[in-house]
């Protein structure tokens, strides 16, 4: 009998399963991996969970069937929870199942502080601090370029940038379009107004390498696999769209293979890739000791003009589609396959069976 693994998806994805309209989630790739690994997948939603069973979809004979089944022993969480009700449902699920990536959105400043505790990893961190008006004024005296970003957001939402102008004033970047030139006092009051009561942090804007005059960074997918240890699955470059100060693909950023970007920046591609791999695995091996449920993440990594590697942030629900856009199909598939290998590893550990995946 096949072992069953749960995949927890959001409400919209769940509703789209029968018609195969599942947005950025490519369930066909999960199904392919499950078939190769001898697993059965059970697609669930928080809306249809009981304490011991759930209504969900099983993929069988090339079609999705809605069934009521016991909650699987292992579940891969692909849902970001926003309400206390959703958090309660997720907690309930975790009492019946080992849910990896149970929490997949972390406060960015909390992650910074956790990594900063390790002296071996501090060199990878841009200087960061919690937002206050006084901290912003202090940072503007010490740094020529800053990001002011929400500590709990994704796809580049809400990020502001300040860059010192030769006139002594500041260029203020916000959303799309040309930056505004503001006095120091006006920049501080404008940013303070936009921040309001939300939790923000200030981060040194590293002078990232550029491609054809536009800044780029990297999305690096790191996942746990069939041995339970972290693996680097792939990395892809993201170039900021014209008039944008963020590189997110959701904000118009363009994807490009890292080898081309590194060559254009004067870096030796294989050396740079090896250094990024080492940094990424060091960071995640350490961090998963503090946050043990993590198993599937996307790291945003910047490389400055001298080739120094800096961790910009960690994404607990890696969207993965950048690899598809870059036509890196085997890497894209592996981003779905590797979590299923990890799920099988966890099941084998639970059942004390030797892993054969």
């Amino acid at each position: 009998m096949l072992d069953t693994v749960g995949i927890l998806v959001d409400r919209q994805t769940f509703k789209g399963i029968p018609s195969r309209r599942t947005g950025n989630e490519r369930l066909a790739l999960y199904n392919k991996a499950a078939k190769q690994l001898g697993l059965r997948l059970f697609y669930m939603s928080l809306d249809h969970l009981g304490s011991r069973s759930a209504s969900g979809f099983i993929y069988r004979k090339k079609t999705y069937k809605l069934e009521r089944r016991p909650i699987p022993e292992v579940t891969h969480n692909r849902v970001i929870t926003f309400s206390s009700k959703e958090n309660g449902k997720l907690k309930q699920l975790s009492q019946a199942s080992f849910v990896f990536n149970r929490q997949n959105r972390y406060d960015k400043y909390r992650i910074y502080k956790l990594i900063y505790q390790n002296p071996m990893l501090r060199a990878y961190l841009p200087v960061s601090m919690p937002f206050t008006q006084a901290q912003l004024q202090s940072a503007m005296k010490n740094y020529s370029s800053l990001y002011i970003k929400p500590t709990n957001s994704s796809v580049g939402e809400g990020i502001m940038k300040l860059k010192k102008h030769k006139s002594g004033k500041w260029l203020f970047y916000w959303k799309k379009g040309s930056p505004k030139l503001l006095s120091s006092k006006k920049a501080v009051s404008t940013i303070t107004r936009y921040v309001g009561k939300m939790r923000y942090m200030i981060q040194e804007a590293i002078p990232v390498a550029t491609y054809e005059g536009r800044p780029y960074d990297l999305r690096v997918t790191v996942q746990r696999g069939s041995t339970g240890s972290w693996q680097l699955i792939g990395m892809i470059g993201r170039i900021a769209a014209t008039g944008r100060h963020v590189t997110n693909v959701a904000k118009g950023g363009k994807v490009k293979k890292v080898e081309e970007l590194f060559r254009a920046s004067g870096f030796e591609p294989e050396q740079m890739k090896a250094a990024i791999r080492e940094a990424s695995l060091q960071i995640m091996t350490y961090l998963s000791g503090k946050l043990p449920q993590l198993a599937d993440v996307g790291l945003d990594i910047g490389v400055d003009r001298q080739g120094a590697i800096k961790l910009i942030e960690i994404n607990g629900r890696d969207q993965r589609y950048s690899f598809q856009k870059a036509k890196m199909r085997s890497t894209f598939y592996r981003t779905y396959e590797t979590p299923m290998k990890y799920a099988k590893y966890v099941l084998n550990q639970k059942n004390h069976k030797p892993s054969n995946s």
Side-chain angles (χ1 to χ4, degrees):
M1 187 169 170
L2 297 178
D3 284 328
T4 302
V5 171
I7 309 281
L8 186 66
V9 297
D10 61 47
R11 182 180 293 130
Q12 190 172 353
T13 302
F14 188 81
K15 285 181 179 176
I17 288 176
S19 60
R20 304 183 190 230
R21 293 177 180 170
T22 54
N24 290 324
E25 293 285 19
R26 297 292 187 268
L27 304 193
L29 300 184
Y30 277 132
N31 296 335
K32 179 182 175 183
K35 185 177 180 181
Q36 291 178 341
L37 293 166
L39 299 171
R40 173 183 286 124
L41 299 185
F42 185 43
Y43 294 99
M44 301 182 291
S45 159
L46 290 173
D47 294 333
H48 303 283
L49 284 177
S51 58
R52 295 184 178 277
S53 65
S55 291
F57 290 99
I58 291 282
Y59 184 71
R60 189 186 292 124
K61 295 180 180 177
K62 299 185 178 180
T63 189
Y64 291 97
K65 297 188 184 302
L66 186 64
E67 297 181 4
R68 186 104 200 160
R69 298 180 67 91
I71 288 172
E73 283 187 81
V74 175
T75 300
H76 181 22
N77 179 29
R78 294 291 291 165
V79 174
I80 293 176
T81 54
F82 293 100
S83 67
S84 56
K85 182 181 177 183
E86 288 174 331
N87 284 326
K89 280 280 192 181
L90 192 55
K91 185 178 180 181
Q92 177 185 300
L93 174 65
S94 68
Q95 289 166 351
S97 180
F98 175 85
V99 182
F100 63 92
N101 273 42
R102 173 183 159 188
Q103 186 173 347
N104 51 24
R105 181 176 280 188
Y106 289 90
D107 182 283
K108 292 178 174 64
Y109 190 65
R110 180 190 173 203
I111 295 292
Y112 170 84
K113 287 193 295 182
L114 280 176
I115 298 172
Y116 191 82
Q117 288 171 10
N118 185 333
M120 303 290 288
L121 301 178
R122 283 179 195 166
Y124 297 129
L125 296 173
V127 174
S128 302
M129 61 206 79
F131 177 87
T132 65
Q133 193 166 309
Q135 289 275 39
L136 179 59
Q137 289 167 330
S138 173
M140 288 168 71
K141 290 174 184 170
N142 293 319
Y143 303 99
S144 60
S145 192
L146 297 165
Y147 281 108
I148 300 92
K149 59 205 291 188
T151 63
N152 195 3
S153 71
S154 58
V155 299
E157 287 291 340
I159 295 176
M160 296 171 267
K161 184 180 180 183
L162 277 181
K163 188 175 181 181
K164 193 76 173 275
H165 188 259
K166 59 187 178 184
S167 66
K169 293 186 175 184
W170 290 84
L171 291 167
F172 173 63
Y173 297 79
W174 171 241
K175 298 190 176 177
K176 194 176 181 180
S178 301
K180 291 181 178 177
L181 191 61
L182 304 176
S183 66
S184 296
K185 187 176 179 181
K186 183 67 175 174
V188 170
S189 65
T190 300
I191 290 169
T192 303
R193 188 175 76 250
Y194 279 135
V195 168
K197 295 188 186 316
M198 293 182 288
R199 283 173 61 86
Y200 265 69
M201 65 187 284
I202 301 163
Q203 189 175 76
E204 171 198 8
I206 62 170
V208 291
T210 59
Y211 178 82
E212 295 179 351
R214 290 188 287 166
Y216 69 82
D217 64 16
L218 314 170
R219 169 58 62 90
V220 181
T221 295
V222 190
Q223 298 172 325
R224 284 168 144 167
S226 56
T227 64
S229 57
W230 288 97
Q231 302 168 32
L232 191 143
I233 306 303
M235 60 180 83
I236 186 71
R238 306 179 305 176
I239 308 166
T242 303
R244 289 283 192 182
H245 58 285
V246 294
T247 61
N248 304 74
V249 176
K251 299 294 183 186
K254 302 298 181 189
V255 297
K256 192 165 281 291
K257 291 181 179 176
V258 297
E259 292 84 354
E260 188 175 345
L261 295 175
F262 293 156
R263 277 193 290 268
S265 299
F267 306 137
E268 201 291 307
E270 292 307 315
Q271 286 181 3
M272 184 57 72
K273 283 164 64 178
I276 290 166
R277 179 181 180 278
E278 183 182 354
S280 301
L281 294 177
Q282 280 180 0
I283 289 165
M284 290 316 305
T285 300
Y286 168 75
L287 200 56
S288 59
K290 306 287 184 183
L291 307 168
Q293 292 165 329
L294 277 181
D296 176 5
V297 299
L299 308 185
D300 289 345
I301 285 181
V303 179
D304 74 13
R305 288 162 198 165
Q306 282 70 50
I309 295 164
K310 298 289 183 179
L311 175 70
I312 299 167
E313 63 185 57
I314 290 176
N315 302 275
R317 188 178 69 161
D318 188 2
Q319 292 288 10
R320 307 167 176 162
Y321 53 70
S322 295
F323 297 113
Q324 185 188 32
K325 286 181 177 290
K327 297 184 168 55
M328 296 170 65
R329 293 184 181 89
S330 63
T331 303
F332 187 49
Y333 170 63
R334 285 184 66 212
T335 66
Y336 283 81
E337 178 190 42
T338 308
M340 295 303 92
K341 287 184 172 182
Y342 179 65
K344 185 165 185 174
Y345 162 80
V346 174
L347 279 168
N348 287 335
Q349 295 294 107
K350 280 176 164 285
N351 298 331
H352 303 290
K353 294 186 297 189
S355 175
N356 58 6
S357 62

